[in-house]
Amino acid sequence: MDEITRPPRSRRSPTHRELAVWRDYIETSEAVKRALAADFQATSGLSPGDYGVMLALSEAPDRLLRSSELAEAVGWERSRLSHHLRRMEERGLIVRHKVGGDSRGAAITLTDAGADLFRKSSTSHLRVVREVFIDAFTPEQLEAMQIAVQALRTHLGNRPPSSGC
């Protein structure tokens, strides 16, 4: 069996080949993120974070989510989300308001101006995704990528919470 397809053993350090694959993955995914962010900022004036928040809100009923739901949807810590939402609110893209009698909870709504900018920016965003990511692969490679990503997501979902060790 080669180094990559060997069955897992507990407390086994990665092999040289496995570490090379890991490093390629990290370096390439960061390069993709940088290329997407730069092109997207240039074409729409939005950051990838803005787009992610707006995407989650645009898919929500009434374009509204509680801040905890939005944090989970975009995969951010609540403090990071709070700072980002403040900047988006200053630009008129979202509105934050209290939820019922809960002084700690907030609901976030995508404004009409935010929804309009999101719609306009989606065309350029999807073009950049195609240029930077999709066009790099054959249809068969994209299918293999989907299988690999699903396996990684499943693995992460089955992983016990970190103990901080």
Side-chain angles (χ1 to χ4, degrees):
M1 230 178 262
D2 73 27
E3 294 180 7
I4 293 179
T5 59
R6 201 170 33 194
R9 288 182 281 160
S10 65
R11 303 231 180 236
R12 182 176 58 86
S13 295
T15 66
H16 176 72
R17 176 75 179 121
E18 290 166 339
L19 285 173
V21 171
W22 169 246
R23 185 171 180 167
D24 282 348
Y25 166 77
I26 292 298
E27 291 173 354
T28 303
S29 65
E30 288 301 318
V32 167
K33 286 180 189 176
R34 283 191 306 272
L36 287 171
D39 284 1
F40 194 49
Q41 183 75 40
T43 59
S44 70
L46 295 174
S47 71
D50 292 339
Y51 190 83
V53 167
M54 295 166 87
L55 175 62
L57 290 170
S58 72
E59 293 174 339
D62 299 322
R63 301 186 316 213
L64 181 142
L65 288 172
R66 290 185 63 107
S67 59
S68 57
E69 295 168 325
L70 183 55
E72 186 175 321
V74 296
W76 290 355
E77 296 293 323
R78 295 208 34 204
S79 61
R80 176 182 179 192
L81 179 65
S82 178
H83 292 294
H84 196 91
L85 292 176
R86 179 186 45 78
R87 292 187 298 272
M88 290 181 74
E89 189 170 32
E90 289 170 355
R91 293 165 38 218
L93 303 175
I94 58 105
V95 174
R96 293 188 281 188
H97 34 97
K98 298 288 182 211
V99 176
D102 186 356
S103 62
R104 296 170 299 141
I108 316 304
T109 304
L110 185 63
T111 63
D112 290 341
D116 186 49
L117 181 57
F118 176 76
R119 271 189 304 280
K120 289 177 183 174
S121 66
S122 289
T123 301
S124 61
H125 179 69
L126 295 174
R127 179 189 51 78
V128 172
V129 167
R130 172 160 291 287
E131 290 173 4
V132 170
F133 185 79
I134 295 170
D135 288 348
F137 303 105
T138 65
E140 296 78 17
Q141 290 170 324
L142 272 174
E143 178 140 351
M145 175 76 73
Q146 182 179 24
I147 291 166
V149 169
Q150 287 173 343
L152 182 56
R153 186 171 298 218
T154 298
H155 173 73
L156 291 173
N158 293 332
R159 190 170 176 256
S162 176
S163 63
C165 296

